């Protein structure tokens, strides 16, 4: 199904791509020039961070340090297909353990998966169903939380601060809150939404996620995370979206993607060297995880134009576009809308009324699930509508070619993702059979020596990666 992949990147192509990358990712590529020795001065700097005081408490927990790095959109085969050019990831893998692949969840989109990684719960329970959501107050629905009925109609959008409204996040406790409650220090960089207090609790250090095309501070985030783990912190979490953005913009098989991976690899390698230099290699566990893969949105993908099927008078809002789309009906127009949606070819898009969403998607009981859920099958792409009813309402949402790479599909090999881990808690050289995104949370808690909250993970799927 997929185009044959070039095993090697020729120098000329490498150079040409480098030029493209410089023009498109000019700032990112600058970081590549930093000499590795720079890492040592950074780590050995005698000036300590302000938050370095708590050495007493940390002494107890020194064996339980964990750095979680979430690299968005890291497809399961990105590493294998160019591993000769990725010495950093290779070192991590040979020193530790990794999954053959991680089975993505539904939907294989960022916000829902990030929240599953941090809770071990499926979206219908943690409530973050997509990168875009719509809250509609429904006073007559007794299953809806009372407080929610008083909140006016509100949009959740990956692209802006609407994601910081506390009511989206009040349902479940994420890992950084649990660890903070246990009296440990947590540091998060570029992580959604550590900046929203949960029951009044915030982690010790948090820089909230900001949507960006080029993350220029990943290297600093990693080295600062290490500094904190050296100075009394138990858990550090660093998020990066560069690989995902390049995958969307240039496609998963582009040289730009491969070069960006080489660039990130250098920063991972630098981190591993810095851990060695810190003298704490026997205390710090490093996990690289991701949320989903990526597939090409090329000419062979069939477009389904929503406007050709629905009467816009029946539609209240269309939420998202591409692979997983939900639609809120106008008052009393639900039956009419159902009828028009039924004309969408089921070979391409599965259309569910909220109550008929299959259990295996773990979605239907989500508080913010809307009247209809549309799920594109691999090989199909849903083009959104023009105008105010579309969320987000930008030129991409109603474009047939908003980007070169896409994700969100259910049950598709290209959506698989990765899990790599090394450190004192993990076996060396162990290759773990595939497990699910929901299975990861319990690994984090085990490494930290804390009891997990209720979750949907299966311990048998992951336990063999850990030393007894
Ligand atoms: C975020 O964007 C959505 C539309 O995409 C909009 O409805 C909402 O008002 C925006 N929220 C903020 C806080 O900017
Ligand atoms: C997943 O995809 C495979 C191969 O395309 C197919 O045989 C299988 O029935 C699908 N499973 C589900 C649950 O859709």
């Amino acid at each position: 199904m997929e185009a044959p992949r070039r095993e090697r990147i020729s120098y000329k192509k490498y150079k040409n791509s480098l030029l493209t990358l410089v023009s498109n990712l000019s700032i990112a590529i600058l970081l590549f020039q930093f000499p590795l020795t720079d890492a040592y001065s950074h780590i050995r700097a005698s000036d300590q961070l302000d938050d370095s005081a708590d050495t007493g408490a940390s002494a107890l927990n020194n064996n339980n340090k964990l750095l979680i790095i979430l690299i968005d959109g890291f497809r399961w085969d990105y590493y294998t297909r160019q591993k000769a050019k990725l010495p950093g990831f290779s070192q991590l893998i040979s020193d530790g353990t990794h999954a053959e692949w991680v089975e993505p969840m539904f939907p294989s989109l960022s916000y829902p998966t990030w929240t599953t990684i941090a809770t071990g719960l499926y979206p219908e329970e943690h409530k973050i169903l997509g990168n875009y959501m719509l809250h509609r107050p429904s006073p007559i629905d007794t299953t809806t939380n009372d407080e929610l009925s008083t909140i006016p109609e509100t949009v959740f959008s990956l692209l802006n601060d609407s994601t910081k409204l506390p009511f989206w996040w009040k349902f479940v406790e994420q890992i950084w809150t649990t660890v903070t409650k246990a009296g440990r220090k947590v540091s998060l960089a570029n992580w959604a939404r550590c900046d929203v207090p949960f029951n009044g609790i915030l982690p010790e250090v948090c820089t909230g996620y900001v949507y960006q095309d080029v993350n220029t501070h990943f290297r600093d985030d990693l080295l600062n995370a290490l500094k904190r783990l050296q100075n009394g912190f138990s858990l550090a979490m660093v998020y990066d979206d560069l690989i995902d953005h390049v995958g969307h913009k240039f496609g998963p098989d582009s040289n730009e993607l491969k070069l960006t991976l080489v660039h990130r690899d250098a920063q991972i390698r630098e981190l591993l060297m810095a851990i060695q230099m810190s003298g704490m290699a026997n205390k710090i566990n490093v996990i690289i995880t991701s949320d989903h893969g990526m597939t090409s949105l090329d000419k062979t993908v069939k477009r389904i134009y929503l406007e050709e099927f629905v009467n816009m008078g029946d539609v209240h809002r269309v939420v998202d576009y591409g692979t997983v789309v939900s639609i809120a009906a106008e008052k009393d127009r639900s039956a009419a809308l159902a009828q028009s949606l039924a004309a969408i070819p089921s070979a391409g898009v599965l259309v569910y009324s909220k109550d008929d969403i299959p259990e295996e998607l773990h979605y239907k009981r989500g508080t913010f699930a809307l009247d209809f859920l549309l799920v594109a099958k691999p090989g199909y792409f849903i083009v959104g509508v023009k105008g105010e009813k579309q969320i987000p309402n930008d030129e991409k949402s109603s474009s047939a070619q908003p980007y070169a790479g896409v994700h969100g599909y259910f049950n598709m090999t290209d959506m698989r993702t990765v899990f790599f881990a090394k450190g004192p808690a993990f076996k060396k050289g162990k290759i773990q059979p595939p497990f699910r995104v929901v299975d990861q949370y319990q690994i984090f808690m085990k490494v930290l020596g804390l009891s997990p909250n209720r979750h949907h993970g299966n311990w048998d799927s992951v336990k063999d990666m850990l030393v007894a």
Side-chain angles (χ1 to χ4, degrees), residues 8 35 40 82 104 111 136 165 220 306 355 361 394 412:
R8 318 188 64 205
Y40 305 145
Q82 67 177 106
Y111 254 103
R136 297 184 90 182
L165 293 168
D220 285 346
L306 278 182
D355 293 339
L361 301 187
D394 57 22
M412 183 194 202

Side-chain angles (χ1 to χ4, degrees), residues 51-72:
D51 43 39
S52 63
D54 184 17
T55 46
S58 71
L60 287 175
N61 306 320
N62 261 355
N63 292 325
N64 299 322
K65 293 190 182 288
L66 175 60
L67 170 56
I68 301 172
I69 305 167
L70 202 176
I71 300 184
D72 197 308

Side-chain angles (χ1 to χ4, degrees), residues 360 410-412:
E360 64 175 313
F410 182 56
N411 189 28
M412 183 194 202

